[in-house]
Amino acid sequence: MSLFNKNNRRQQDGRRHRAADEKAGVGKSAGSTVHKDAHTHKRGANRQAAATLTLHSLFSLHRQVGKDALNRLLKNPVASLLNSLLIAVAFSLPVLLFVLVSNVQVLGATWDGQPKISIYLNNGVSQKVIDQRIADYRESPLIKEVVYISPEQGVSDFQQKAGLQDVITQLGFNPLPGVIELLPVSEASFEQLDDAVIHFQRMDGVDQVRLDRQWVQRLQAILTMLERFAVMLGGILGLTVILVISNTVRLSIESRRDEIKIISMVGGTRGFIAMPFIYMGIWYGVIGAVLAQVIVFSLLTVLSHEMMDIAGLYNSEMVLSGPGFSILGILLLSGIVFGVLGAMSSCYRHFQALVPD
């Protein structure tokens, strides 16, 4: 009996020890897992802090290099201003041409809003034929308004506008024919008006038919050609800007040849060495774009009076408008892009000999 009790006690003690060992093992495993997770989180936090520090250092480096490039330009104000003015002139020419073309297009569109068809009648045509022609024109779906100007009314209007009251008296007869002016509907297309002119020309009693929009069509063709010319001129002058910036950066590279060699000897990469020169090209492009805007607005201010006189000749109240924000933004972006391209081309050509691979 006592032996059984002893064995039973031993089994119970063994179970308690095994339970304690299992519990200790679980606790140890859990502690190891918690420690591992804490270590992982700490490594992630360290990596994030290192990445943030790297971005901050990179931003600080670019800011310092850009500031230093601007200070170098300010140390030579005369040379920097001349180079920037050359870039500004190259930028301002296509922009000014494009703005003038846009304003003339607005002028043509404003006048084109009320086109007229002028029908000149034969001399001596009877009033019956005139009334019949007026009735025919009013039945046309393309015509909104019909106005008849008799030869007597035409002479009176001519004398008042030209101030030549005695000319008709000296001639002894009235040389002006009767005119029927037709105002088409706004929905009428140019092709429909052309067909209507051909149809009206074949009617009895009609000597000649003229469509006032024909000169507008020719004007639009000329303006389209000038607009394309402005784009091509912008491309050519953009290449000129790249060459100017490239040559300016080349001179700066030559003046800092020894500095470049020393930086390359201590481990400086080509990208690191080229960074100040790229920022120099960017500053030249930005300053040139800003000066180009000043030149364009100044020239438009000078030309505004003449443009208003031209608009007055066509009974238009158009006001000369300058380049919009989109054009100014494109001009500024072009300055940055051309500056980078000019600086990179110069660095690529000259770093072949100065900076070893």
Side-chain angles (χ1 to χ4, degrees):
M1 189 73 178
S2 61
L3 182 62
F4 175 77
N5 290 333
K6 288 181 181 179
N7 291 334
N8 190 19
R9 246 188 245 108
R10 287 175 184 173
Q11 292 177 359
Q12 291 177 359
D13 292 338
R15 292 193 196 99
R16 283 197 297 268
H17 285 300
R18 284 196 298 271
D21 292 340
E22 290 176 359
K23 185 176 181 181
V26 171
K28 185 177 180 180
S29 176
S32 177
T33 304
V34 172
H35 179 71
K36 186 182 294 184
D37 292 341
H39 183 66
T40 303
H41 287 301
K42 185 176 180 180
R43 288 173 57 190
N46 291 335
R47 289 179 180 177
Q48 184 176 3
T52 304
L53 182 62
T54 303
L55 291 176
H56 179 72
S57 301
L58 185 62
F59 176 75
S60 300
L61 176 63
H62 279 271
R63 182 177 60 184
Q64 181 63 34
V65 172
K67 184 178 179 181
D68 181 68
L70 180 61
N71 290 331
R72 287 182 178 273
L73 295 184
L74 296 178
K75 288 181 181 178
N76 298 300
V78 177
S80 300
L81 180 61
L82 291 178
N83 291 326
S84 299
L85 284 176
L86 182 59
I87 296 172
V89 171
F91 274 136
S92 60
L93 288 178
V95 174
L96 184 62
L97 180 59
F98 183 79
V99 170
L100 291 178
V101 169
S102 299
N103 280 274
V104 176
Q105 284 179 339
V106 172
L107 176 62
T110 303
W111 183 87
D112 193 29
Q114 294 292 331
K116 291 182 180 179
I117 300 176
S118 299
I119 299 177
Y120 298 91
L121 303 176
N122 293 324
N123 289 327
V125 65
S126 64
Q127 188 64 38
K128 181 179 179 180
V129 175
I130 295 175
D131 295 338
Q132 183 62 40
R133 295 287 81 79
I134 293 176
D136 294 337
Y137 300 146
R138 285 176 177 170
E139 292 178 357
S140 175
L142 296 176
I143 305 304
K144 178 172 63 175
E145 183 179 350
V146 179
V147 177
Y148 173 65
I149 301 176
S150 64
E152 293 77 15
Q153 183 180 354
V155 169
S156 177
D157 293 341
F158 175 77
Q159 290 176 343
Q160 290 178 1
K161 292 180 180 180
L164 302 174
Q165 286 79 10
D166 299 333
V167 173
I168 303 300
T169 304
Q170 293 177 1
L171 288 176
F173 67 97
N174 185 359
L176 299 180
V179 180
I180 301 177
E181 290 187 350
L182 308 179
L183 184 63
V185 295
S186 58
E187 296 82 7
S189 64
F190 191 77
E191 291 77 11
Q192 290 176 330
L193 294 179
D194 278 341
D195 295 337
V197 167
I198 296 174
H199 175 69
F200 296 156
Q201 183 70 56
R202 297 172 180 173
M203 292 184 174
D204 295 336
V206 175
D207 180 38
Q208 189 177 6
V209 180
R210 289 186 178 180
L211 177 61
D212 294 341
R213 285 186 59 179
Q214 289 179 352
W215 76 273
V216 178
Q217 186 185 29
R218 300 188 186 99
L219 177 63
Q220 292 295 334
I222 295 174
L223 293 178
T224 301
M225 181 190 68
L226 291 177
E227 197 172 33
R228 294 179 180 175
F229 175 75
V231 174
M232 291 187 292
L233 181 64
I236 295 174
L237 293 179
L239 179 60
T240 303
V241 171
I242 293 176
L243 294 177
V244 170
I245 295 177
S246 177
N247 183 67
T248 305
V249 172
R250 179 186 66 82
L251 296 176
S252 180
I253 291 175
E254 292 294 334
S255 64
R256 301 171 64 180
R257 176 186 290 266
D258 295 336
E259 179 183 348
I260 293 173
K261 288 184 178 179
I262 293 174
I263 295 176
S264 64
M265 291 174 62
V266 298
T269 62
R270 290 188 177 185
F272 179 79
I273 299 173
M275 193 183 302
F277 303 105
I278 292 176
Y279 272 102
M280 178 182 293
I282 291 175
W283 281 119
Y284 270 121
V286 170
I287 296 173
V290 172
L291 292 178
Q293 296 177 17
V294 175
I295 293 174
V296 170
F297 279 107
S298 301
L299 293 177
L300 290 178
T301 302
V302 174
L303 296 175
S304 61
H305 181 70
E306 286 74 10
M307 199 68 183
M308 291 177 62
D309 292 340
I310 296 175
L313 295 175
Y314 295 97
N315 297 323
S316 176
E317 297 180 356
M318 186 200 72
V319 179
L320 184 63
S321 60
F325 289 104
S326 59
I327 297 179
L328 298 180
I330 292 174
L331 185 62
L332 189 61
L333 181 61
S334 300
I336 296 175
V337 172
F338 291 160
V340 172
L341 291 178
M344 290 182 64
S345 63
S346 184
C347 291
Y348 177 78
R349 286 187 289 116
H350 293 84
F351 282 5
Q352 298 291 334
L354 296 177
V355 182
D357 294 333

